[in-house]
Amino acid sequence: MSADAAKKNDQKSVAILMATCNGERFLSEQLDSLASQTVTKLDLWISDDGSKDRTKVILEEAARNWKKGKVRISEGPKQGFVENFRSLMIDPSIDADFYAFSDQDDIWDEDKLAVATEWLSAQPDTIPALYCSRTRTVSENGVTIGYSPLFKKVPSFRNAIVQSIAGANTMVMNRAARDVIARASQNSTFVSHDWWCYLIVSGVGGRVFYSPEAKIGYRQHQNNLVGENRSLKAKYNRLKRLIGGGFQGWNRLNLENLEKCKHLLSEDAYSTLAMVRNCQGTCVHHRLLSLLRSGVYRQTGIDQAALIFACAIRGL
């Protein structure tokens, strides 16, 4: 990036969408890592979902000392973390050039947002664009213990419709992406906000970039709502869900809500959606033929084989 382009990009604002609930143990460290970001215009939009500990005290103190922009702390819907994030995703009062999700217990590298917004700034403003990446897993004390899987296949709707590839805490998007996600989320429910964002941006013909470089420490502790997915146990549980029917429930919820948003989808994405829905039929031959014709894929060979097996025995 040239010096002029870097200066212009530095003038753009980033809205951090943070959902909190009883996060006092690690919240201060995450807020410190947000304050250390090299971007200069950074607004915090925080929805607290009924914390009973010192979370609100910590947030209010951070708001008084915040020097990069404005801070708004609001009451969440108290219906779980997915709905808490959704309330932020559809909030029309949140306005910025770029939007990023934040958990309450991670640790961000100081250039996390700068790297993401550099790529986003190179995309046309009118095209929805989503940056996401690999994560670095860390212990409760912040010590690196591993990395999330490194996915090598190109992100696309045909992948998104059967797999989520990146955590929301890695995601940064431009205004066009946020606007279409907000429209899609008004009357929709979803399994997770990260998977939903991947589905919608790729489904409308937007651009999704998956970076192999981890810029976030994803903290592992006993209160995690969503844990890491690289260990043998995590891989086994993922395949068990895929083959045993747990994935089927998630997938059908996504498909039902994508159908509600069909007016937003590209022609190619809607055609793919229709073929995947055919994978729910009663005839195993028709299910497998529809899966083959759809061209959908998961990121690894073993996961793809499990997808085909799951389609054969019970449908998607």
Side-chain angles (χ1 to χ4, degrees):
M1 180 183 288
S2 68
D4 288 342
K7 183 177 180 180
K8 182 178 180 181
N9 190 49
D10 197 46
Q11 297 304 309
K12 294 183 177 181
S13 60
V14 182
I16 299 292
L17 311 183
M18 173 182 274
T20 62
C21 183
N22 296 326
E24 66 176 3
R25 285 186 67 196
F26 306 110
L27 180 56
S28 292
E29 190 172 0
Q30 168 63 339
L31 289 167
D32 287 345
S33 77
L34 296 182
S36 297
Q37 292 298 298
T38 56
V39 298
T40 57
K41 300 181 69 175
L42 190 59
D43 297 331
L44 302 184
W45 298 80
I46 304 165
S47 178
D48 184 74
D49 221 25
S51 290
K52 303 300 183 183
D53 61 4
R54 296 186 65 257
T55 292
K56 289 185 180 179
V57 175
I58 295 170
L59 292 175
E60 289 165 359
E61 181 180 359
R64 288 192 294 270
N65 298 319
W66 192 254
K67 296 179 173 61
K68 286 178 174 278
K70 57 188 175 185
V71 179
R72 190 196 71 175
I73 304 169
S74 60
E75 291 291 327
K78 300 180 179 62
Q79 297 176 35
F81 79 99
V82 172
E83 283 300 306
N84 200 14
F85 272 113
R86 191 173 82 91
S87 69
L88 291 166
M89 291 159 65
I90 64 176
D91 188 339
S93 67
I94 302 177
D95 182 67
D97 297 297
F98 305 113
Y99 300 78
F101 294 111
S102 173
D103 292 337
Q104 63 187 6
D105 49 8
D106 298 325
I107 308 170
W108 287 12
D109 295 0
E110 65 179 16
D111 62 343
K112 175 189 186 295
L113 291 176
V115 170
T117 57
E118 180 178 353
W119 178 81
L120 288 165
S121 294
Q123 313 309 311
D125 290 340
T126 56
I127 297 179
L130 173 69
Y131 172 100
C132 59
S133 75
R134 197 179 188 191
T135 56
R136 181 178 64 255
T137 54
V138 300
S139 68
E140 290 194 6
N141 297 324
V143 178
T144 299
I145 56 178
Y147 291 84
S148 64
L150 177 59
F151 295 129
K152 297 181 179 180
K153 293 182 180 179
V154 176
S156 73
F157 184 73
R158 284 181 171 83
N159 176 224
I161 203 166
V162 291
Q163 184 177 23
S164 178
I165 62 171
N169 51 9
T170 74
M171 291 180 169
V172 188
M173 68 192 80
N174 65 4
R175 188 192 302 269
R178 187 266 182 170
D179 287 349
V180 75
I181 288 169
R183 290 174 62 191
S185 303
Q186 285 289 342
N187 300 304
S188 302
T189 56
F190 35 83
V191 174
S192 61
H193 55 300
D194 42 20
W195 196 353
W196 184 244
C197 289
Y198 182 25
L199 280 165
I200 295 300
V201 175
S202 62
V204 302
R207 299 179 182 180
V208 178
F209 175 72
Y210 171 83
S211 172
E213 187 176 11
K215 290 291 182 181
I216 177 175
Y218 181 30
R219 199 189 303 266
Q220 303 299 296
H221 55 89
Q222 62 182 4
N223 295 324
N224 267 17
L225 291 175
V226 181
E228 64 90 23
N229 62 356
R230 188 170 175 82
S231 68
L232 288 176
K233 181 179 179 181
K235 291 177 181 179
Y236 169 77
N237 288 335
R238 187 167 64 247
L239 291 175
K240 184 178 178 181
R241 284 194 299 268
L242 186 57
I243 295 173
F247 168 80
Q248 185 184 48
W250 294 348
N251 193 54
R252 292 192 173 186
L253 179 62
N254 281 339
L255 296 182
E256 289 170 6
N257 284 283
L258 283 171
E259 190 70 33
K260 295 178 184 178
C261 304
K262 62 184 180 181
H263 59 292
L264 299 174
L265 300 178
S266 68
E267 184 177 341
D268 182 65
Y270 188 66
S271 175
T272 301
L273 172 62
M275 285 186 280
V276 172
R277 296 204 70 157
N278 286 337
C279 296
Q280 300 174 338
T282 57
C283 175
V284 62
H285 173 75
H286 288 162
R287 291 202 303 266
L288 290 174
L289 188 59
S290 294
L291 183 67
L292 178 64
R293 288 175 173 172
S294 71
V296 302
Y297 61 92
R298 289 174 67 88
Q299 287 284 334
T300 67
I302 190 170
D303 278 349
Q304 184 67 11
L307 178 70
I308 295 169
F309 184 68
C311 182
I313 63 174
R314 68 177 73 248
L316 299 183

